[in-house]
Amino acid sequence: MSLDRIFDMIKQWGRPWAGGAEPIEIHRALLEDIEGQAVAVGGGRRVFPFDQVEATLLVSTPEERSRLEAIAQAGWDLEGEVQERLRARGAEFPAGLKIIVQVTEERGPELGGRRYALTYRRVAASESARPQTERGRQPERPALRLAVLKGEATRDAYELAADHVYLGRLEEVVDATGRVKRRNDVAFREEGDLNQTVSREHARIAWDPASRAFWLRDEGSASGTLVLRGGRPIEVSRHDRRGVRLESGDEVYLGRAAVKVEIQG
């Protein structure tokens, strides 16, 4: 499915990209912005110097978000379109060029007056600067373990290997039509006063290869997210897209429920 077709489908919902921007214009702006990062390096060569682009798209309602994410997962091929346009301009680009698309309902400062924001990274360069192991390989990602301290979840502790870990109430979160819109890796139960302070889409933890750290981000929870480190509270703002860097021994409070962080290795 082409991106033009995706945005044609989005337009049927009542123009979720309000504010003077048609869906097809957002599509074109994304491609032109990314394509414009190709630079001349002499000898008639043009190079796109980044190997990862993060595209943040702003929606107005949770319904728009769930629909857009579902369609994007079904057939979003922004990477293919970017590579095709760069080839057409004769621009070289890394073989592992990756385009990451995420959707948000929060208008952060990086968006300005637009409905999208782009972040360009050189992940391979960051990885090459990491310390090497004795065998000359990159050090492995540490293991993440979350043990439940307060509240009742589906397990007492979670051994987590995924780069993105979702925390909330219930294992599956569904929309108004009954479709699954999110699966929580750390899932608190529905019953119980402490559990009720955990939003269904409360927070997420993401592994960042560049900083070699886990980062905790609040996803617009009703009761807030807090990190307790050595007796000192650290608020996790819902407006901070990166979040708070986690350390082993941290206690993460999701409302009044809590888990303890163990980072091993």
Side-chain angles (χ1 to χ4, degrees), residues 48-92:
F48 184 78
F50 307 101
D51 56 11
Q52 181 171 300
V53 182
E54 297 177 5
T56 301
L57 307 180
L58 178 68
V59 296
S60 302
T61 66
E63 181 182 15
E64 290 174 0
R65 173 176 182 157
S66 61
R67 287 178 175 175
L68 177 57
E69 288 178 337
I71 292 177
Q73 292 172 4
W76 198 292
D77 189 27
L78 190 56
E79 283 181 14
E81 295 201 42
V82 167
Q83 293 178 11
E84 183 178 344
R85 291 185 70 135
L86 291 174
R87 289 192 192 98
R89 292 193 62 182
E92 303 170 20

Side-chain angles (χ1 to χ4, degrees), residues 9-246:
M9 295 174 69
I10 295 172
K11 291 172 74 173
Q12 299 174 12
W13 308 338
R15 302 176 70 181
W17 303 97
E22 292 285 349
I24 193 64
E25 294 172 348
I26 297 292
H27 176 202
R28 185 181 303 114
L30 283 170
L31 292 175
E32 290 180 353
D33 198 327
I34 296 173
E35 180 185 358
Q37 297 298 315
V39 296
V41 294
R45 294 176 58 216
R46 296 187 66 83
V47 172
F48 184 78
F50 307 101
D51 56 11
Q52 181 171 300
V53 182
E54 297 177 5
T56 301
L57 307 180
L58 178 68
V59 296
S60 302
T61 66
E63 181 182 15
E64 290 174 0
R65 173 176 182 157
S66 61
R67 287 178 175 175
L68 177 57
E69 288 178 337
I71 292 177
Q73 292 172 4
W76 198 292
D77 189 27
L78 190 56
E79 283 181 14
E81 295 201 42
V82 167
Q83 293 178 11
E84 183 178 344
R85 291 185 70 135
L86 291 174
R87 289 192 192 98
R89 292 193 62 182
E92 303 170 20
F93 55 87
L97 175 60
K98 187 175 183 180
I99 312 294
I100 300 174
V101 179
Q102 54 186 352
V103 181
T104 182
E105 299 166 38
E106 301 176 8
R107 182 180 288 280
E110 73 281 359
L111 290 164
R114 301 180 303 177
R115 303 304 300 270
Y116 73 93
L118 293 167
T119 303
Y120 299 92
R121 303 186 187 280
R122 295 184 63 185
V123 176
S126 299
E127 290 181 349
S128 65
R130 294 178 189 168
Q132 301 290 310
T133 63
E134 292 181 359
R135 295 183 180 182
R137 296 179 301 177
Q138 299 292 347
E140 295 182 357
R141 199 203 78 171
L144 175 66
R145 183 176 188 271
L146 299 179
V148 177
L149 296 178
K150 296 183 179 181
E152 184 180 359
T154 56
R155 303 182 197 171
D156 293 332
Y158 296 83
E159 309 283 345
L160 301 158
D163 286 345
H164 290 84
V165 175
Y166 298 88
L167 301 90
R169 180 159 46 91
L170 300 179
E171 290 183 281
E172 290 188 344
V173 180
V174 299
D175 60 18
T177 66
R179 293 177 300 183
V180 176
K181 57 185 292 192
R182 168 179 169 131
R183 288 185 171 88
N184 286 315
D185 302 288
V186 177
F188 283 83
R189 300 190 184 280
E190 184 77 3
E191 302 79 12
D193 292 341
L194 264 63
N195 297 342
Q196 285 294 317
T197 66
V198 181
S199 296
R200 293 181 178 179
E201 299 176 73
H202 199 109
R204 79 169 65 180
I205 296 173
W207 167 253
D208 176 39
S211 62
R212 291 199 55 78
F214 292 101
W215 294 79
L216 172 68
R217 176 183 172 188
D218 183 281
E219 297 196 291
S221 66
S223 302
T225 305
L226 186 78
V227 173
L228 190 64
R229 179 178 300 163
R232 181 174 64 91
I234 303 172
E235 182 182 359
V236 183
S237 171
R238 61 180 297 180
H239 303 294
D240 184 353
R241 289 185 57 240
R242 181 154 193 173
V244 172
R245 179 171 178 159
L246 290 175

